[in-house]
Amino acid sequence: MKLYLVPTPVGNLGDMTYRAVEVLKGVDLVLAEDTRTSRVVMQHYGIDTPLQPYHIFNEHKTLQSIVDRLLGGMNIALVTDAGTPGISDPGFLLVREAVRNGIAVETLPGATAFVPALVDSGLPCDRFVFLGFLPHKKGRQTALVQLAGESCTMVIYESPFRLVKLLEELKEVLGGDRNVSVSREISKLHAETARGTLEEVHAHFAAKEVKGEIVVVVAGQDD
């Protein structure tokens, strides 16, 4: 019995690893954040393993039944819509329960959005803090203020619909001259990385329609 966490492409389907395909073909069940999205990837690679939804809205309800299946001897893989499961996606609860129950857990190396965005940014990569998605409402202002004292490079996920607002908020807290890099559509045909000061990058995205998954990389206060 084993739980596998399998990264899937964040953009280009060619970013899937050979081993990821082998694992998904070999397990008894694949848990997917969105079965429609995962089915596209699986069909592309000829994977016909059964799929079951596992997402933020049902993870508490289905958790024990999945653990019971693992304890019964099944090998199960968890995938997310894109990237590595557990990184700002469902997965933590399942991994924790598997570990508590003595179930082997193996996470495959592979695609994740923040690593290429961080490296592409040109900002220091030796020390960084990954913040995922900031709170939308409650606690958001507190989280933003705390960023002002951060000396490490900061990595933030954001939706395309809230990117301009986030850049405005960062300008207010950190100042318009703080360096930032925004990557979107990573590894896709229209991939873009915009670098500059918060003032410059905010103006760039405020003047256009923003699409795709977004990674914002912000310089620490000492950079």
Side-chain angles (χ1 to χ4, degrees), residues 32 34-44 47 51:
D34 187 328
T35 55
R36 296 166 299 179
T37 300
S38 297
R39 190 168 285 114
V40 172
V41 177
M42 293 175 68
Q43 288 177 344
H44 181 81
I47 302 167
L51 277 168

Side-chain angles (χ1 to χ4, degrees), residues 17 40 75 162 171 175 219:
T17 68
V40 172
N75 292 314
R162 293 190 295 268
K171 279 200 309 176

Side-chain angles (χ1 to χ4, degrees), residues 120-122 180-182 193-197 200-201:
D120 278 355
S121 72
V180 65
S181 173
V182 175
T193 295
R195 308 174 187 86
T197 65
E200 293 166 340
V201 174

Side-chain angles (χ1 to χ4, degrees), residues 26-108:
V27 295
D28 301 298
L29 177 68
V30 176
L31 304 174
E33 184 179 9
D34 187 328
T35 55
R36 296 166 299 179
T37 300
S38 297
R39 190 168 285 114
V40 172
V41 177
M42 293 175 68
Q43 288 177 344
H44 181 81
Y45 286 99
I47 302 167
D48 57 7
T49 306
L51 277 168
Q52 176 181 316
Y54 180 80
H55 45 70
I56 193 171
F57 302 108
N58 76 348
E59 58 181 339
H60 289 277
K61 295 179 181 178
T62 60
L63 185 60
Q64 189 57 53
S65 66
I66 295 168
V67 170
D68 289 342
R69 291 187 186 187
L70 287 162
L71 289 171
M74 289 183 69
N75 292 314
I76 297 177
L78 174 66
V79 299
T80 184
D81 286 352
T84 299
I87 303 296
S88 291
D89 285 301
F92 162 70
L93 289 178
L94 181 55
V95 172
R96 183 177 66 182
E97 287 306 304
V99 171
R100 285 177 174 174
N101 284 274
I103 298 166
V105 178
E106 185 172 351
T107 302
L108 276 62

